Every structure is written in structure tokens, then in C-alpha cells.
Amino acid sequence: MEKKRIDDYEPGPVPSPRALDRFGFVKQEHNNSSDAFTKSRSASEHERDERRVRKWRKMIGVGGSDWKHYVRRKPHVVKRRIRKGIPDCLRGLVWHSFASSYSYSSAQEALFFMQQLVIYETSASELDIIRDISRTFPSHVFFQQRHGPGQRSLYNVLKAYSVYDRDVGYVQGMGFLAGLLLLYMSEEDAFWLLVALLKGAVHAPMEGLYLVGLPLVQQYLFQFEQLVREFLPKLGEHFTQEMINPSMYASQWFITVFSYSFPFHLALRIWDVFLSEGVKIVFKVGLALLKYCHDDLVKLPFEKLIQALRNFPEDAMDPDTLLPMAYSIKVSKRLEELKLEYEKNNGKLVRSAELGRK
């Protein structure tokens, strides 16, 4: 039986117009947290934002022409401004600049190569991608129409990657990475940034998050569990008593870099820093969340604890509260030590298994 491609499907009906928040998500009557601060913003706050945009435009130059020079010349200024949040109108340009030199010499070459992958190559993951597309940001206006332009763009990026890297292929969590990028850049730019992220052209390679057995997820969960015990010993002990481990609540944090279930305005701020500084921000934000909710979490039994770890309170998700707390947590050195410890222990387990088969 011949596989169907997304182009074989007719677009579904255009969804009825509904009120949207400032990012394009359908507003939920019971929860407007991602849009709430807009309503109460003063004229002075709008003026401050406009000044920030002007500073950023001056820093990056026309079309990003001055960005690399500024990063080399004033790295501490760039780091500070990114941590405060990239202006949304410039976010796509800045995100793309983190991998703009990867794998292709021109925009035309980038587009041509991706089109070849989508049009002329087949992927074993095509049906899985089509099945999962409607589950990716389903309340965002760009992805709402079944087999519409947004879903087709998402399919093209994910299919192209599954052909480009057949070892990884396609894993469900990748849709949220690609979907987030597509909200800020073209298909080809989203594809190449996804390639750069997974192959390690931006920071440490992410492809281990999606390989069979999720080896990098296992490493990150080991590291995170040790950090919880060291930074939050009382909570770590409570988790041990209640038999809670990070795989029960934190896997998606790493697989989707908080884009799956976190408020979108917070996810964007985390992604600003993630693209600039790497995966350590995921550990920092996770620890900051647990620290913020520490006094409540240590009182909860297993069932309520699991629920709380999957549904943090709205005040804990305020970027201006959570992120400064995350930035204050220093983990780089300890992460490297725990990585070596994990590799040493994991190597012993692999060798023991191989000896057992002989």
C-alpha cells in the first residue's frame, strides 16, 4: 500500500475566529496568564519596551549584520540582555543567528536542499509525523487548520529532518521544537536550526535526546536527580521516601526544552537563554521551580506530589520571578562532574552486560 503524504490530504475547514493572545494562541477563559500582564501595562512600561527594541536593533544591525561583531566585543552585555528577554519582534532573527553559518553557503542552497529531502526522499516516519502534527501547539492559530499551511510546514521540517538524519528519524517531542521555531522563522531556517541544535553546532548535541533508548535523557535525569539532592536536600530526601524520580516529571523538560506544557511566554524566555548558553538553563529552571515550591512539595504524599510536579502554580511560572532565581544557581562545574560519573557508571554497566552474554 502506497504511503500517503500530507500533500495528498485536502486542508480542513478554517477554524472559526476566536480571541487570541499576543502570541497567537486561543485565549482560555479560565487561564489568561500568558496575556495577563499586557492588560495592566502602563505607558512607561511600553516606552521602556520601545527603548529595549531600539537598543537591540542597534546591537544586531540591519538584518543581523552587526550581531557577531557585537557578541565578540561585548559578550557580557549580550548575555545580560538575552537573559532579560529578546524583543519578540526580533526573536526570530536573533535565534536564527545562533546557527546562521551551519551547513549551507546561501539561503537558496538551504531552501533547495530541504526541498529535495521533502519532495524526492521517502521517510519511514511519514505516517507518524502526520498523526502527531495535530497534537503540536493545537491551540495556536498557525497550526489549527487540519492539513493547513502551518501543519504542512511542520510536516515538511520534520520529514526533512527524518530523511537528513535517519539514525534519529522522528520522535514525537521533536514536533514541539520544530513548531516553536516555525512561529519565528521560515521552513528552511527552522530546519537548519533544528539540524544545528541536534548535531551540536550551537551547543552540546541534542540528538541523544531522541535516539533509541533516549540515552541523553537518561544522563540528564541522573544529573538532575543528584543536583536536587545536593541543592535541595530536604526535598531530595522526601522524593526518595515517596519513591519519586525525575523520569516521572522532568523528561519532557529536557526533550522539548519546556515548550510542551509550560506557559508560552516563559518557554520563549527560556529558549532565548537556551540558544545562547546551552542546556544548563533547563537544569537551572528545574531547580528554581522546585526551590520556589519547596515548602509545599515537602508536605505532599506520592499522588499529590506527582500532580503538583506536573502542574506548577501560576505564580511559580512568572519569568520575572523564576528566571532570576534560576540564574543565581551555579551548576556548570557540577554538571560536568556528574556527566563523567554517569559515563563511568554507564560504561561499567555496558561492560557487565557484554560479559554476561559471553
Side-chain angles (χ1 to χ4, degrees):
M1 182 178 177
E2 186 178 349
K3 289 183 181 179
K4 278 199 169 186
R5 302 187 179 208
I6 199 165
D7 288 336
D8 297 327
Y9 295 91
E10 288 295 323
V14 177
S16 302
R18 297 172 66 181
L20 304 176
D21 69 13
R22 64 197 178 97
F23 296 113
F25 288 88
V26 174
K27 285 186 179 180
Q28 303 296 320
E29 292 181 6
H30 63 280
N31 182 14
N32 292 323
S33 61
S34 67
D35 202 41
F37 82 96
T38 305
K39 297 177 181 178
S40 60
R41 309 197 79 201
S42 65
S44 62
E45 287 174 314
H46 283 291
E47 187 177 333
R48 181 193 65 190
D49 285 350
E50 289 176 3
R51 287 199 302 270
R52 284 183 60 241
V53 171
R54 287 196 293 270
K55 285 181 181 179
W56 270 90
R57 289 191 186 280
K58 184 177 180 181
M59 183 169 69
I60 64 179
V62 178
S65 58
D66 295 337
W67 172 252
K68 290 182 180 179
H69 174 68
Y70 203 100
V71 169
R72 286 193 299 268
R73 196 160 53 90
K74 296 185 177 181
H76 298 299
V77 174
V78 173
K79 180 178 181 178
R80 185 178 70 249
R81 289 183 180 174
I82 287 175
R83 285 185 167 193
K84 288 181 178 179
I86 300 169
D88 202 58
C89 61
L90 300 174
R91 189 165 261 129
L93 178 62
V94 176
W95 283 8
H96 178 247
S97 71
F98 286 112
S100 60
S101 62
Y102 186 73
S103 288
Y104 58 89
S105 59
S106 68
Q108 291 81 4
E109 182 184 335
L111 177 60
F112 175 77
F113 183 75
M114 183 188 163
Q115 287 176 338
Q116 300 305 298
L117 297 180
V118 173
I119 297 171
Y120 296 111
E121 299 286 342
T122 59
S123 167
S125 304
E126 287 182 42
L127 291 180
D128 291 333
I129 293 170
I130 291 172
R131 179 198 65 207
D132 290 342
I133 276 176
S134 61
R135 304 173 187 174
T136 304
F137 297 125
S139 63
H140 195 281
V141 65
F142 185 55
F143 298 113
Q144 275 196 312
Q145 185 183 11
R146 185 167 176 77
H147 307 309
Q151 291 194 4
R152 287 170 187 260
S153 289
L154 184 56
Y155 167 85
N156 288 343
V157 172
L158 293 172
K159 187 208 164 177
Y161 192 87
S162 72
V163 173
Y164 178 87
D165 185 353
R166 295 186 185 274
D167 290 335
V168 171
Y170 164 74
V171 177
Q172 189 173 6
M174 293 168 62
F176 284 91
L177 271 67
L180 182 64
L181 298 179
L182 281 169
L183 295 179
Y184 286 92
M185 59 192 72
S186 65
E187 285 181 24
E188 60 270 23
D189 287 343
F191 167 73
W192 283 111
L193 183 48
L194 187 65
V195 170
L197 286 169
L198 268 66
K199 291 300 181 183
V202 181
H203 294 290
M206 293 177 65
E207 60 185 352
L209 294 172
Y210 312 107
L211 290 168
V212 175
L214 310 178
L216 194 55
V217 178
Q218 304 307 319
Q219 176 194 309
Y220 286 165
L221 293 178
F222 168 80
Q223 291 170 294
F224 189 73
E225 185 170 31
Q226 303 308 310
L227 290 174
V228 171
R229 290 174 178 171
E230 294 170 17
F231 282 85
L232 304 166
K234 187 176 179 181
L235 184 60
E237 178 61 28
H238 184 59
F239 281 171
T240 300
Q241 291 174 354
E242 296 296 328
M243 293 185 288
I244 297 288
N245 64 71
S247 66
M248 298 175 177
Y249 62 91
S251 296
Q252 287 289 352
W253 295 357
F254 293 103
I255 292 172
T256 69
V257 193
F258 292 112
S259 62
Y260 172 63
S261 58
F262 272 44
F264 195 69
H265 64 298
L266 174 58
L268 290 175
R269 292 282 301 276
I270 294 171
W271 268 77
D272 290 345
V273 181
F274 169 68
L275 289 170
S276 173
E277 301 182 30
V279 73
K280 65 183 178 182
I281 189 59
V282 181
F283 291 94
K284 291 179 173 214
V285 169
L287 290 170
L289 268 174
L290 297 183
K291 183 178 180 180
Y292 186 89
C293 301
H294 178 278
D295 293 347
D296 294 322
L297 294 174
V298 293
K299 301 172 185 175
L300 299 176
F302 179 84
E303 293 83 1
K304 291 184 177 180
L305 193 52
I306 285 292
Q307 185 176 3
L309 289 168
R310 294 175 179 173
N311 299 277
F312 288 95
E314 188 174 314
D315 57 320
M317 299 293 200
D318 178 1
D320 295 327
T321 300
L322 181 66
L323 293 182
M325 187 183 296
Y327 301 149
S328 71
I329 299 172
K330 308 303 179 185
V331 297
S332 297
K333 182 180 178 182
R334 191 67 183 120
L335 279 177
E336 189 58 36
E337 293 170 349
L338 289 169
K339 178 185 176 184
L340 295 174
E341 181 181 336
Y342 178 82
E343 290 173 347
K344 182 179 177 181
N345 294 340
N346 202 48
K348 286 180 180 178
L349 290 173
V350 170
R351 287 194 293 274
S352 296
E354 289 174 347
L355 288 171
R357 287 195 295 267
K358 289 182 180 179

